[in-house]
Amino acid sequence: MPGTFCETRAYPTIGIILLGGISNNTRRFPLHDSAGVAYMLDDGSGGFVTTRMFSSHIWQGFVNGKEVNAMDTRSPFKVIKKYRDSMLASVKDPADTAFSFYSENTGILSGSSDAAAASFGRCIEEFSRGELDESVLEDDLRGISESVGRSLKGGLTATFAVNGRIITENLAPASAFSDFRIVGCNFSANRNPSDIIHSNIVRSERYADRIRTAGERVASVRMLAQEHRYSDIFELAQKDTEDYHNLIESVGVRVINHEMRSFIDYLKTIRDRTWCSYIVTGGTNVFAVVNHEDTDKITELSERFGFTPYILKIAGAPVTLQKNF
């Protein structure tokens, strides 16, 4: 691999208290509090973004084999170039005055942009030798993904909008959820881009209420985490999913199609004999949360309801796989 390099891995996320509404398409600051978890495939074979960043004489980047347009609004180059001077402190060859990268998604169902942004952030921190203001870097990375804080912190997180500032707090580590699994039930359907949700939800006359209830629920998630009442957090997430999708459907954005709704309705009928809850974010997945020993009770429904199952577990913060400085 050319130049001084760093290779990192970060994990995608699922909303618990769902986010809808951002400041603009450049800064992408959330307009209200939210909460989420990072995840990976249970067997460790996927559910992550791996990014290899190296010093170079040119600015060039590839995501999943496709070259990145450096002028794109959400291009990682905007963040990398801001931190270029601090990153060059780790570069061995003085002829290398630029940075290039390869970034690849493996086995991600939803939340890939969070993981990608966090993996870039970890590379930037490594090249800068950890001498950065993490909160400022997180704000800069929001230009790539508005909920990047979830992936940066790992485990269960809450992101707060406080007096014009956005702060992400880790509420519980991944290890706290060892008794749970999330079955990602992937349905074949067209996905609504998150920006469609963000731009439409703010037009609802009920959006002010959404800001208030999201804040109250995030406060409840924090309290429940402190009390180690993790199943209650997922119960609250199910309630939030229903309210959120009712709201976005009222402004013309439908995510839950007929097949997904049929499956959700069935999950409700089995709750008296098997504890489970469900979450639907902005994609074509129903995330069914179950106790570890009950995953088969969900995966065995895949043919009946027409989805592809993926067993997930809660993941931690980004990791550095290797570096040569």
Side-chain angles (χ1 to χ4, degrees):
M1 184 177 295
T4 308
F5 76 92
C6 177
E7 183 176 43
T8 65
R9 178 167 292 170
Y11 304 98
T13 69
I14 301 167
I16 295 292
I17 306 301
L18 302 177
L19 173 63
I22 56 176
S23 58
N24 55 61
N25 285 331
T26 301
R27 298 196 74 193
R28 304 186 71 83
F29 275 26
L31 295 182
H32 63 74
D33 298 351
S34 63
V37 292
Y39 74 88
M40 64 186 298
L41 291 183
D42 189 35
D43 63 4
S45 65
F48 48 74
V49 170
T50 304
T51 295
R52 298 177 293 279
M53 188 180 299
F54 50 92
S55 62
S56 176
H57 64 284
I58 59 171
W59 296 94
Q60 188 174 44
F62 295 86
V63 174
N64 297 327
K66 183 178 179 180
E67 187 165 7
V68 173
N69 180 355
M71 301 305 294
D72 184 82
T73 304
R74 298 172 69 174
S75 168
F77 282 120
K78 295 182 68 173
V79 186
I80 298 169
K81 288 182 177 181
K82 175 178 177 179
Y83 291 93
R84 170 182 171 274
D85 289 348
S86 63
M87 294 169 65
L88 285 174
S90 295
V91 174
K92 298 175 182 179
D93 188 344
D96 285 349
T97 58
F99 291 90
S100 297
F101 64 81
Y102 296 97
S103 188
E104 298 175 335
N105 300 357
T106 303
I108 292 180
L109 296 182
S110 179
S112 60
S113 61
D114 289 347
S119 68
F120 285 113
R122 180 76 176 199
C123 285
I124 290 169
E125 287 182 311
E126 289 284 14
F127 270 101
S128 301
R129 308 193 178 192
E131 298 181 358
L132 301 177
D133 185 322
E134 292 183 359
S135 64
V136 174
L137 176 59
E138 181 179 336
D139 282 347
D140 291 331
L141 292 168
R142 289 189 206 286
I144 303 173
S145 182
E146 60 274 9
S147 47
V148 61
R150 299 173 185 171
S151 189
L152 285 171
K153 302 290 185 179
L156 170 69
T157 56
T159 299
F160 302 94
V162 182
N163 298 324
R165 292 201 61 207
I166 308 299
I167 301 168
T168 301
E169 175 184 337
N170 178 274
L171 302 181
S175 59
F177 297 90
S178 60
D179 292 337
F180 297 91
R181 290 296 181 270
I182 301 173
V183 182
C185 306
N186 181 245
F187 288 80
S188 296
N190 293 326
R191 184 184 187 278
N192 271 306
S194 60
D195 283 348
I196 292 179
I197 295 175
H198 290 315
S199 62
N200 278 270
I201 193 172
V202 297
R203 296 191 291 106
S204 171
E205 60 185 16
R206 292 184 283 157
Y207 188 64
D209 286 338
R210 175 61 189 169
I211 293 175
R212 176 183 56 80
T213 57
E216 293 171 351
R217 287 173 179 173
V218 171
S220 295
V221 168
R222 175 192 259 169
M223 178 196 70
L224 292 169
Q226 290 171 345
E227 298 174 357
H228 309 295
R229 294 165 57 188
Y230 302 117
S231 60
D232 288 338
I233 290 174
F234 291 120
E235 293 282 351
L236 183 58
Q238 177 175 309
K239 170 62 175 170
D240 194 69
T241 279
E242 289 294 346
D243 290 348
Y244 180 86
H245 286 276
N246 178 272
L247 179 57
I248 64 174
E249 286 175 12
S250 73
V251 290
V253 183
R254 182 174 295 275
V255 172
I256 301 176
N257 62 23
H258 175 73
E259 289 76 18
M260 295 166 69
R261 178 56 68 185
S262 295
F263 178 57
I264 287 170
D265 289 343
Y266 179 79
L267 291 179
K268 293 177 181 178
T269 69
I270 67 172
R271 281 164 55 86
D272 59 342
R273 58 185 186 276
T274 301
W275 180 83
C276 66
S277 68
Y278 57 85
I279 301 164
V280 181
T281 58
T284 60
N285 306 286
V286 176
F287 295 101
V289 187
V290 294
N291 291 312
H292 191 183
E293 64 270 18
D294 291 329
T295 54
D296 288 351
K297 295 180 180 178
I298 302 300
T299 58
E300 67 187 12
L301 298 172
S302 61
E303 289 190 11
R304 177 178 173 183
F305 288 95
F307 63 81
T308 303
Y310 297 86
I311 301 176
L312 316 173
K313 63 182 178 183
I314 307 302
V319 296
T320 300
L321 301 178
Q322 56 178 328
K323 60 182 179 180
N324 74 339
F325 51 87

